[in-house]
Amino acid sequence: MRPLSRPAALACLALSMSLVGTYVALSKPLALVFPVMLLAWLRFGLGALAMLGWLRKPADEPALGMHAKGLLFLNALLGNFLFTVLMIYGVSLTSASTAGVIMASIPAWVALLSRFFLGERIAARTWLAIALAAAGIALFALGKPTAAPPAELSGTPGTGARWLGGMLLLGASCCEAAYSVIGKRLTASLGPRRISALMNLWGFVLATPAGLWLAWQFDFSAVSWPNWLLLLFYALAACVWSVWLWMTGLSTVPASQAGVFTTFLPLSAALVGVLALGEAMGPLQWLAFALALASVVLATARLPRLRRASPAR
């Protein structure tokens, strides 16, 4: 595949994280219909069917070595499977406000991991962009309503559960950061389509034991057609479109800069909540949007270089 231009790669990253935030917001009704692990299994299964043609190795790609196979499995385990499970259960044990504050740490985790594992130099303005992104999401979280837990966890009580939920959300943030950094390594030898298909296949394998057990006991006839259509969108957006867009953008943009685009995840979810779900948003939340967008511009814009004046001769 020909390398993308920088503007096209940045657009892919922004669209990917915006899409993630969109399907997270619109999947709330699904969590009330399906148990969490069954929902994850159905998501991976539909994604696998949609990407069957992407599993074939292109002629110009090298054969998968043991190192690449290990990275693919690790990225699927962390970025697909564990991120989904930790995020859903973490929010159910705490609140959306807590989740927003903790997930604001993703750009910083990406920058740190890319510095230590990829050797990328982190510019001062990238650190400033990370701080702006964290401030924006934290501001937004201050006024965000509490999320309702899934049905199977609706009776979870207590302060201890909230502490556990916070730790789960921190783990989800680290998983998302690792997903970006490992994905950068994979794009050096594999195309975005094949990465997406292989990662999803591993996610399906990991979710199958719990998914089969829950499917055996679940009454699928009680699910309405609108929820089936929403499930189809959720699967395609989560497994196909967002992963392909992210890996395509990562093939051109350094992982530390790409990490700033995770800002779009909670903010786009909030915007969908306002436009589609009727949630209200105050001045603090609009300021949060402005800070988040400023962080992306600061991290990715090409700034003119100042030339030193030549000494007079």
Side-chain angles (χ1 to χ4, degrees):
M1 188 184 76
R2 293 175 57 187
L4 287 179
S5 66
R6 181 179 171 82
L10 297 178
C12 285
L13 295 173
L15 184 56
S16 173
M17 284 297 110
S18 298
L19 190 59
V20 173
T22 299
Y23 76 68
V24 165
L26 295 179
S27 65
K28 287 181 181 179
L30 291 176
L32 300 176
V33 176
F34 298 97
V36 171
M37 291 304 301
L38 177 59
L39 179 58
W41 183 62
L42 292 172
R43 159 194 157 165
F44 290 128
L46 289 171
L49 291 175
M51 291 187 287
L52 278 177
W54 291 6
L55 288 170
R56 183 178 303 170
K57 185 181 83 67
D60 59 345
E61 276 188 10
L64 281 176
M66 290 303 298
H67 181 66
K69 290 178 180 178
L71 287 179
L72 277 168
F73 171 76
L74 186 61
N75 216 21
L77 175 65
L78 296 175
N80 272 10
F81 183 73
L82 284 181
F83 172 78
T84 300
V85 174
L86 292 175
M87 171 58 71
I88 294 174
Y89 284 118
V91 172
S92 73
L93 292 172
T94 56
S95 68
S97 299
T98 304
V101 172
I102 294 175
M103 295 303 289
S105 66
I106 292 177
W109 285 115
V110 173
L112 289 172
L113 291 177
S114 62
R115 176 68 180 90
F116 289 110
F117 291 100
L118 299 179
E120 294 181 0
R121 188 180 67 86
I122 312 301
R125 67 177 181 138
T126 300
W127 284 116
L128 180 56
I130 291 169
L132 283 175
I137 300 177
L139 265 181
F140 179 82
L142 290 176
K144 201 170 180 183
T146 300
E152 66 266 30
L153 290 180
S154 58
T156 304
T159 304
R162 289 195 296 272
W163 275 100
L164 175 60
M167 295 304 295
L168 292 175
L169 289 169
L170 185 61
S173 302
C174 295
C175 287
E176 181 70 8
Y179 166 78
S180 297
V181 174
I182 298 171
K184 182 65 177 177
R185 279 277 179 89
L186 288 170
T187 57
S189 57
L190 298 175
R193 288 187 178 185
R194 196 152 181 247
I195 293 174
S196 303
L198 291 171
M199 281 181 53
N200 181 81
L201 191 59
W202 268 120
F204 179 71
V205 170
L206 291 168
T208 289
L212 279 177
W213 173 257
L214 291 168
W216 183 260
Q217 309 169 57
F218 188 75
D219 181 12
F220 288 96
S221 64
V223 181
S224 66
W225 276 108
N227 281 323
W228 283 119
L229 292 175
L230 190 57
L231 173 63
L232 179 62
F233 168 79
Y234 172 69
L236 294 177
C239 298
V240 185
W241 304 328
S242 62
V243 180
W244 177 81
L245 285 166
W246 187 255
M247 294 301 167
T248 299
L250 269 183
S251 64
T252 301
V253 179
S256 57
Q257 290 186 4
V260 178
F261 283 85
T262 58
T263 304
F264 281 96
L265 193 162
L267 295 182
S268 60
L271 189 59
V272 171
V274 171
L275 298 178
L277 304 180
E279 297 178 359
M281 202 162 73
L284 276 180
Q285 286 71 48
W286 288 115
L287 178 59
F289 272 101
L291 287 175
L293 291 175
S295 75
V296 173
V297 172
L298 183 62
T300 59
R302 296 281 192 183
L303 298 180
R305 294 182 179 179
L306 298 178
R307 295 183 179 179
R308 292 184 180 178
S310 300
R313 292 178 182 266

